[in-house]
């Protein structure tokens, strides 16, 4: 089972730390068409489970959110959207 990084682990990644420290870049990414489509698909696929998983992740238990994201990443469209978001991060 893969372990999901927490915020402190993300801050150790130079790309993630740079994004977290650049509010404008983070805002642009989150407002992008790909991010909106990703959230829409996640909500369609997972419904109310997504909200509960996000709440649990905010409390330190990332297992449910990790499972949702893994299923999403395994779908053709989900994988494509995640690749698009990653490309946007490296512009």
């Amino acid at each position: 089972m893969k372990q999901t990084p927490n915020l402190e682990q993300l801050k150790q990644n130079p790309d993630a730390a740079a994004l977290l420290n650049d509010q404008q870049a983070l805002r642009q990414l989150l407002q992008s068409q790909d991010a909106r489509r990703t959230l829409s698909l996640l909500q369609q696929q997972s419904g109310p489970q997504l909200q509960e998983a996000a709440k649990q992740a905010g409390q330190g238990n990332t297992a449910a959110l990790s499972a949702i994201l893994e299923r999403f990443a395994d779908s053709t469209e989900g994988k494509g959207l995640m690749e698009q978001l990653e490309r946007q991060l490296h512009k």
Side-chain angles (χ1 to χ4, degrees):
M1 181 174 164
K2 292 187 240 176
Q3 185 177 10
T4 302
N6 63 32
L7 184 57
E8 291 307 313
Q9 289 171 319
L10 284 173
K11 288 180 180 178
Q12 299 301 315
N13 177 300
D15 291 335
L19 181 63
L20 290 170
N21 289 323
D22 185 345
Q23 293 298 309
Q24 183 176 358
L26 183 57
R27 195 174 303 111
Q28 286 177 335
L29 177 66
L30 292 174
Q31 292 175 348
S32 73
Q33 182 178 0
D34 291 326
R36 288 193 308 268
R37 181 71 181 136
T38 298
L39 182 56
S40 176
L41 276 177
L42 280 167
Q43 289 171 333
Q44 286 174 19
Q45 289 180 0
S46 303
Q49 296 167 336
L50 178 62
Q51 239 179 346
E52 181 59 31
K55 180 180 174 184
Q56 289 176 14
Q59 297 170 347
N61 180 0
T62 61
L65 187 57
S66 294
I68 288 171
L69 292 174
E70 284 181 28
R71 282 192 307 270
F72 181 75
D74 284 342
S75 72
T76 302
E77 191 169 12
K79 181 179 180 179
L81 283 166
M82 292 180 82
E83 289 171 354
Q84 276 295 111
L85 288 171
E86 186 171 346
R87 281 193 286 276
Q88 288 181 33
L89 285 174
H90 297 289
K91 280 185 179 180

